[in-house]
Amino acid sequence: MGFLDYAIFDEIRRMNSRQVIYQFLNFAMIVSSALMIWKGLMVVTGSESPIVVVISGSIAFHRGDLLMLTMDRDDPIRAGDLTAFKIESRDIPIVHRVIKVHEKSGKDDSKFLTKGDDNMVDDRGLYAPGQHWLTPKDVVGRGKGFVPYVGMVTILMNDYPMLTYTVLGLLGLFVLIHRD
Amino acid sequence: MSKIFEKISKIDRNHLIIIAAVLFVISAFVINWCIRKLKGENQDKGAPEPIKVVKWDGPTVKNTLDDCVKKVINENYSTWKERHTLADGRLFLSVIAVGFAAFALVYDYLYPFPLSKMVLATCSISYFVLMFVLQIYQWYVEKTTFYQAAENDGKNPARYWRWSSEMKRYDDKYTLVAEYTQGSRWGSMKLVKSIASYITEDGEVLLSLLKKDVDYLRDQATSKRE
């Protein structure tokens, strides 16, 4: 077991089984805290993805900005709202402004048209073939606030997955072998 | 190689979390087993390996001294049996908290978001409440205790010992406190010494010197009539 003889592993070598279990629980609690904050945010904002990162930017939102989304189905969509919506065959939601709304009697019956602030034309070119309007079902959230630049980390992690695994792996190892 | 990473990023994030959790549990057992084996090998060698520590790393020195005190007591006081009630309490609280988080994860995976809203809310709140309780437990119940034992010599009621220690940041003074309760009687004794009294130039901990002080604390604590 030559590998475990290094000085950095001194503490872990001297731990009894209870302490080892506690080290792993410590690690689990850090992961759980992050998880619970995320799920908590999901409940509070009502949206499936309460925080999203802007990948392709515009004048208002630059690439790497963090966007907070809320989802309130009872609040009617009005022209001027920033909505995040998903087009049927695409995974990535688009956040654009609503420019036209047609409403009938029921709330779920409205149709609306969006356009990116930077674009010259409306989003009809982005919708699925044959789709001319969006319905409330396509909406995943409404933009409520944003934090600039912070999301660059997520973009980097997405583009270079090796970086994610290395960083997380090292962090995990550090938590596991050090007490408190 | 990049094909493998492409595949991994295509796996649903939730799947990844579950796989990671399973690996985590397996590795916990593997590492525990490795440590047992290591300890077993060392005992077979005969001469105990000298305990070395980086003498400038404050927290590690404190933890190492604590471990040495435990070692001295367990190896020399035959009527003392180590108790783990405080540590078990902490483990229990942590396991429950992680349990809530794990339940929320699994439930949300089986019944995706809008359906799981109530469960997620309850689990989230319970988790943070438990974290708070755990913190209170560590501050007020466990405090600086690192060792508990029950001393049973057959004739008198058992004596329950609690040893705690403190060492301030960037300071070399190690405070060791021994307390005991025996029925309605209690006693305690404190000793503050520089770590230089036990650790050599090279960072080796001299157990014989530590043992002298451990014996001293035990004798002083029990000799005071309360």
Side-chain angles (χ1 to χ4, degrees):
Chain A
M1 289 279 171
F3 171 65
L4 279 179
D5 278 344
Y6 283 114
I8 46 169
F9 290 115
D10 270 349
E11 279 198 75
I12 204 177
R13 258 185 300 138
R14 276 195 285 266
M15 286 188 214
N16 59 31
S17 47
R18 258 188 189 76
Q19 285 164 318
V20 172
I21 294 178
Y22 187 65
Q23 289 302 104
F24 277 93
L25 273 177
N26 230 346
F27 179 76
M29 285 198 285
I30 293 178
V31 171
S32 306
S33 294
L35 186 74
M36 289 287 96
I37 292 179
W38 177 255
K39 300 285 177 201
L41 267 179
M42 272 169 66
V43 172
V44 163
T45 60
S47 154
E48 250 179 44
S49 25
I51 298 186
V52 291
V53 177
V54 173
I55 306 184
S56 61
S58 59
I59 291 184
F61 299 114
H62 302 267
R63 183 176 149 90
D65 289 348
L66 212 67
L67 211 55
M68 202 178 103
L69 300 178
T70 56
M71 180 67 156
D72 190 357
R73 291 239 177 245
D74 294 332
D75 191 12
I77 298 175
R78 288 283 168 259
D81 285 349
L82 272 170
T83 46
F85 54 89
K86 265 201 199 169
I87 306 289
E88 259 165 78
S89 48
R90 316 270 183 85
D91 276 334
I92 307 179
I94 305 175
V95 184
H96 278 171
R97 206 174 292 276
V98 172
I99 53 172
K100 278 191 196 166
V101 179
H102 285 286
E103 241 181 21
K104 283 198 208 158
S105 47
K107 275 170 279 201
D108 278 342
D109 233 359
S110 45
K111 290 186 191 167
F112 50 95
L113 179 63
T114 59
K115 175 176 138 357
D117 287 346
D118 266 1
N119 301 346
M120 298 290 277
V121 297
D122 57 43
D123 289 342
R124 284 213 171 97
L126 293 172
Y127 299 165
Q131 183 183 16
H132 296 293
W133 298 91
L134 288 175
T135 59
K137 277 200 226 59
D138 302 311
V139 172
V140 288
R142 229 172 289 205
K144 272 290 182 259
F146 90 111
V147 184
Y149 307 122
V150 177
M152 271 319 269
V153 180
T154 317
I155 293 185
L156 271 176
M157 302 265 225
N158 244 324
D159 288 345
Y160 305 106
M162 201 53 196
L163 181 68
T164 324
Y165 300 129
T166 329
V167 169
L168 289 181
L170 285 176
L171 275 176
L173 202 63
F174 184 77
V175 168
L176 282 176
I177 57 183
H178 278 278
R179 277 199 266 193
D180 300 329
Chain B
M1 263 293 251
S2 56
K3 279 257 162 68
I4 303 180
F5 286 118
E6 264 190 71
K7 254 206 135 184
I8 294 182
S9 53
K10 283 211 179 80
I11 300 178
D12 190 9
R13 192 194 299 142
N14 286 331
H15 277 125
L16 257 182
I17 294 178
I18 294 181
I19 295 173
V22 172
L23 280 176
F24 178 85
V25 171
I26 295 176
S27 49
F29 283 104
V30 168
I31 295 200
N32 205 1
W33 175 83
C34 285
I35 292 184
R36 297 257 174 113
K37 270 221 97 190
L38 252 189
K39 287 207 174 137
E41 274 172 19
N42 274 337
Q43 266 146 27
D44 292 339
K45 278 195 206 135
E49 69 166 38
I51 298 177
K52 284 234 168 163
V53 66
V54 174
K55 59 186 178 179
W56 303 111
D57 183 354
T60 313
V61 166
K62 177 193 173 303
N63 286 331
T64 313
L65 282 176
D66 290 347
D67 288 342
C68 291
V69 169
K70 279 196 261 188
K71 189 167 194 252
V72 161
I73 294 179
N74 286 331
E75 281 176 0
N76 293 296
Y77 299 171
S78 51
T79 54
W80 290 35
K81 188 168 184 331
E82 189 170 358
R83 287 167 81 224
H84 298 106
T85 51
L86 286 177
D88 286 346
R90 188 173 18 115
L91 285 180
F92 180 69
L93 279 174
S94 314
V95 166
I96 307 253
V98 173
F100 269 109
F103 181 73
L105 181 68
V106 171
Y107 194 88
D108 184 57
Y109 177 69
L110 295 173
Y111 304 102
F113 179 50
L115 296 168
S116 58
K117 192 163 172 171
M118 276 284 93
V119 171
L120 283 185
T122 333
C123 286
S124 221
I125 296 177
S126 318
Y127 178 80
F128 288 114
V129 163
L130 276 170
M131 285 283 104
F132 180 69
V133 169
L134 182 64
Q135 193 62 2
I136 299 280
Y137 180 87
Q138 283 182 300
W139 277 344
Y140 294 108
V141 177
E142 219 181 338
K143 289 179 272 192
T144 49
T145 314
F146 67 88
Y147 180 75
Q148 290 170 281
E151 180 185 357
N152 238 318
D153 53 6
K155 36 192 175 104
N156 300 329
R159 240 186 235 149
Y160 294 108
W161 286 93
R162 221 194 216 205
W163 290 63
S164 35
S165 71
E166 267 179 77
M167 199 164 110
K168 289 204 184 63
R169 239 175 194 261
Y170 307 126
D171 194 3
D172 69 323
K173 299 286 181 292
Y174 177 68
T175 308
L176 187 57
V177 179
E179 300 170 287
Y180 80 91
T181 52
Q182 185 175 24
S184 54
R185 286 200 336 207
W186 62 273
S188 88
M189 186 63 194
K190 181 161 87 159
L191 185 63
V192 182
K193 266 201 182 169
S194 162
I195 57 172
S197 335
Y198 313 114
I199 303 182
T200 68
E201 273 287 316
D202 301 324
E204 190 184 331
V205 180
L206 298 174
L207 290 177
S208 48
L209 296 176
L210 195 55
K211 180 173 189 304
K212 278 211 201 104
D213 283 337
V214 169
D215 288 340
Y216 169 76
L217 275 174
R218 180 202 51 182
D219 296 335
Q220 288 295 312
T222 47
S223 65
K224 287 200 269 182
R225 299 266 162 249
E226 298 284 349

